[in-house]
């Protein structure tokens, strides 16, 4: 495995992905991904580039007062990392998003995310549609 800048768990791009999303920092979030990275979600089974995927995430920040990843768990096997967490957001409408999810992440040789597959129950995101996100 290529050496990576140290983070709390040794996987700097993943640590940065979590904190950038929580902070609503889309520029920093982009630095976590390889230029040709692909993102796939189980709810639509469509492969997307990073910019397309981030369009949804960009809407979450302005619609919420707090975004957090809770109950983070990680298992790494070579260049694959398996993540389990619960994404929460306190929406300005007074509703709360609670999205338990599982991700399989492939890292490039330079430690950036080259493929991310995310699995979650899409019904949990109904609260976002109700909030206009």
């Amino acid at each position: 495995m290529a050496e990576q800048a140290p983070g709390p768990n040794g996987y700097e791009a993943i640590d940065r992905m979590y904190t950038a999303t929580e902070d609503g920092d889309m520029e920093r979030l982009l630095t976590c991904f390889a230029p040709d990275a692909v993102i796939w979600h189980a709810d639509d089974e469509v492969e997307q580039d990073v910019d397309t995927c981030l369009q949804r995430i960009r809407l979450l920040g302005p619609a919420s007062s707090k975004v957090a990843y809770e109950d983070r768990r990680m298992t790494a096997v070579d260049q694959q990392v398996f993540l389990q967490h619960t994404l929460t957001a306190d929406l300005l409408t007074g509703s709360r998003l609670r999205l338990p999810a599982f991700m399989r992440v492939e890292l490039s040789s330079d430690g950036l995310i080259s493929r991310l597959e995310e699995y979650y129950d899409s019904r949990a995101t109904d609260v976002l549609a109700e909030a206009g996100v």
Side-chain angles (χ1 to χ4, degrees):
M1 177 157 32
E3 273 196 46
Q4 301 171 32
N9 59 30
Y11 293 88
E12 207 253 6
I14 291 171
D15 296 326
R16 204 167 56 244
M17 176 188 72
Y18 277 133
T19 59
T21 302
E22 290 174 334
D23 295 343
D25 186 340
M26 295 301 110
E27 293 303 315
R28 189 167 23 126
L29 185 56
L30 279 171
T31 69
C32 304
F33 294 90
D36 58 348
V38 174
I39 299 170
W40 177 89
H41 295 102
D43 66 330
D44 62 10
E45 300 184 50
V46 174
E47 290 186 344
Q48 300 176 329
D49 63 22
V50 175
D51 287 331
T52 302
C53 181
L54 293 188
Q55 289 175 7
R56 242 165 67 174
I57 296 172
R58 281 185 183 97
L59 298 174
L60 186 57
S64 60
S65 61
K66 180 183 176 190
V67 175
Y69 283 98
E70 300 174 357
D71 305 319
R72 296 184 203 179
R73 286 165 273 182
M74 182 183 88
T75 301
V77 179
D78 297 324
Q79 295 296 99
Q80 291 188 83
V81 182
F82 301 91
L83 305 169
Q84 194 173 354
H85 56 255
T86 301
L87 174 64
T88 62
D90 296 333
L91 302 177
L92 299 179
T93 60
S95 298
R96 188 161 201 260
L97 169 69
R98 186 174 183 286
L99 182 64
F102 174 84
M103 291 182 181
R104 186 182 76 83
V105 176
E106 294 176 12
L107 299 173
S108 63
S109 60
D110 57 0
L112 297 176
I113 298 168
S114 60
R115 181 174 182 85
L116 185 149
E117 297 173 355
E118 187 171 29
Y119 302 83
Y120 58 86
D121 181 352
S122 61
R123 291 177 298 169
T125 62
D126 289 350
V127 68
L128 294 175
E130 294 164 8
V133 176

